[in-house]
Amino acid sequence: MTRSITVELGERSYPILIGSGLLQQIGGLCREVGYPQRSPLLVVSDSEVAPLYLAAVEASLTAAGYTVVSHVFPSGEASKSLTVYEEVMTTAIQGGLDRRSAVLALGGGVVGDLAGFVAATYMRGIGFVQIPTTILAHDSSVGGKVAVNHPLAKNMVGAFYQPSLVLYDLDTLQSLPPRQVASGLAEVVKHGLILDREFAYWCLEHAAELLALQPEALGYALERGCAIKAAVVAGDEREHGQRAILNLGHTIGHAIEAVGGYGAFLHGEAIAIGMAGSALLAARLGRDQAIYTDTVAMLTALGLPVRLPVEYTEEALMEAMMHDKKFKEGQMTFIVPDSIGAVSIVDDIRQEDVRGVIAQLQKEGSPW
Ligand SMILES: NC(=O)c1ccc[n+]([C@@H]2O[C@H](COP(=O)([O-])OP(=O)(O)OC[C@H]3O[C@@H](n4cnc5c(N)ncnc54)[C@H](O)[C@@H]3O)[C@@H](O)[C@H]2O)c1
Ligand SMILES: [Zn+2]
């Protein structure tokens, strides 16, 4: 069964297909999108993903009559750089890509962000197809944010650029390492926590199936996650307002990533602790304490951390947060849950409450 969602963005609308055996159909689908066979296609992938899936993608494209050029770079966040960007551009130029060509991103969020930025800028923008191979990439493949990192700041050089098609082949997820599975599921349950109470509790009930990559459960979870993100993005494509709710758990999460050095916690692990923190903040603001209990139950069931190791000191985290965002007169903006499945953007969170939350996240046992 192939599931299909449309990201509604007027003339930039595009479909997301989720199912098994999709890699083998990519050639035909590129023809349906309208990419001409005389224009070469560039497949970008990383050193973990390419040995597993690149041959299948190339075979399908070649069978459909395309000339295929590929570029494989070392896996990992360090490759999301201007240097690798230039190397991929070189491959594109040498491969003779023209204005009607397309870039296909085969991999996780790193490949998607980098290849998308190549697609957005090669000859001022050519075709773009996302073939996400991580669960986390359900998040990055919806919304059109593409970027590379600058040595001084993450995602600093980028664009908004929508793909023509997203192909989510569930078979590719079977090779994901367990920590990457759980990390990706953090963003899935986040989409439930911000907008869909029923889906958040569904994730709790089906956690074991999700962690076991059971295709039926996984297909449904990715469909709901993509659909919720798509709905938020459709209402605010360029992040002027409401799109900020997608950042639930990310202020604390980004600080954890910065303090730990990127790589100590995976992104989803860091935002899981951040989401537990947001629920503690909600309790401080007088919201129901069950928000915290249930959020923690969901994250724990998905194999995610909800506590801070003590070496992440309050001072270091506060400093990282202040670097990320300005405190205006001692106050800052946070996404705060109102209940499971509903959040508010609150712009007058006091520094002392954030400090209190960090201290609670560090305590052993229940903070209550
Ligand atoms: N554009 C957006 O809106 C957006 C949103 C969220 C995250 N991101 C970006 O996404 C990136 C993180 O994405 P990610 O977590 O997918 O990281 P990633 O692309 O680095 O993938 C994680 C690891 O898994 C490996 N891998 C990928 N697919 C695999 C598979 N099927 N089998 C085995 N191994 C596989 C990769 O080689 C890598 O080592 C960050 O750079 C982040 O900034 C972007
Ligand atoms: Zn995130």
Side-chain angles (χ1 to χ4, degrees), residues 65-364:
Y66 290 104
T67 304
V68 185
V69 185
S70 56
H71 187 109
V72 177
F73 57 74
S75 84
E77 184 72 24
S79 285
K80 222 174 92 174
S81 67
L82 286 160
T83 310
V84 175
Y85 165 79
E86 187 177 339
E87 289 165 3
V88 179
M89 279 289 178
T90 304
T91 303
I93 297 166
Q94 287 174 343
L97 268 73
D98 61 40
R99 289 205 161 73
R100 309 213 41 206
S101 290
V103 178
L104 284 67
L106 173 67
V110 166
V111 173
D113 281 14
L114 178 110
F117 189 52
V118 171
T121 49
Y122 184 81
M123 291 184 159
R124 300 189 184 82
I126 60 172
F128 179 35
V129 174
Q130 293 251 36
I131 313 168
T133 65
T134 64
I135 295 173
L136 193 124
H138 89 281
D139 187 13
S140 54
S141 62
V142 182
K145 284 189 183 178
V146 295
V148 295
N149 302 327
H150 184 277
L152 294 179
K154 200 169 141 64
N155 295 328
M156 204 36 117
V157 185
F160 282 98
Y161 200 67
Q162 307 294 345
S164 306
L165 173 67
V166 177
L167 269 193
Y168 227 130
D169 189 332
L170 297 174
D171 301 342
T172 65
L173 302 175
Q174 297 297 326
S175 55
L176 274 177
R179 260 184 88 190
Q180 296 287 353
V181 171
S183 173
L185 290 172
E187 298 276 14
V188 170
V189 75
K190 178 197 81 181
H191 288 125
L193 289 171
I194 59 175
L195 272 179
D196 188 338
R197 180 182 180 86
E198 212 177 301
F199 177 54
Y201 285 103
W202 180 93
C203 290
L204 174 61
E205 278 163 37
H206 295 81
E209 289 143 74
L210 291 172
L211 288 171
L213 298 168
Q214 196 266 320
E216 195 48 42
L218 197 56
Y220 176 70
L222 292 174
E223 179 184 8
R224 281 307 304 148
C226 288
I228 294 166
K229 174 140 188 201
V232 175
V233 169
D236 180 17
E237 190 181 355
R238 288 183 168 252
E239 197 159 352
H240 295 305
Q242 197 58 17
R243 189 168 172 163
I245 66 172
L246 296 168
N247 294 331
L248 176 70
H250 280 59
T251 302
I252 293 175
H254 284 154
I256 294 169
E257 288 182 291
V259 171
Y262 291 89
F265 280 111
L266 297 177
H267 178 69
E269 294 169 343
I271 68 150
I273 302 171
M275 289 191 285
S278 308
L280 287 170
L281 191 57
R284 284 178 172 260
L285 300 182
R287 321 270 208 269
D288 189 350
Q289 298 200 354
I291 300 171
Y292 174 78
T293 323
D294 287 4
T295 300
V296 164
M298 289 164 189
L299 296 170
T300 310
L302 293 170
L304 290 158
V306 292
R307 300 209 164 274
L308 269 173
V310 282
E311 56 271 27
Y312 288 71
T313 63
E314 191 183 309
E315 275 326 302
L317 288 165
M318 289 306 289
E319 204 185 301
M321 267 183 251
M322 284 189 257
H323 189 75
D324 199 29
K325 288 185 171 190
K326 297 269 175 295
F327 276 95
K328 290 189 197 112
E329 289 157 26
Q331 299 185 329
M332 72 191 299
T333 304
F334 263 80
I335 312 304
V336 181
D338 295 319
S339 60
I340 299 290
V343 292
S344 296
I345 305 172
V346 184
D347 61 11
D348 59 353
I349 298 295
R350 297 175 312 162
Q351 238 189 86
E352 61 196 76
D353 279 323
V354 181
R355 286 183 187 277
V357 163
I358 293 172
Q360 272 176 292
L361 284 172
Q362 272 164 343
K363 280 203 192 118
E364 291 295 323

Side-chain angles (χ1 to χ4, degrees), residues 20-29 56-57 59-61 63 167 169 171:
S20 288
L22 294 178
L23 288 191
Q24 289 71 23
Q25 299 173 39
I26 177 91
L29 290 164
V57 171
S60 176
L61 293 171
L167 269 193
D169 189 332
D171 301 342

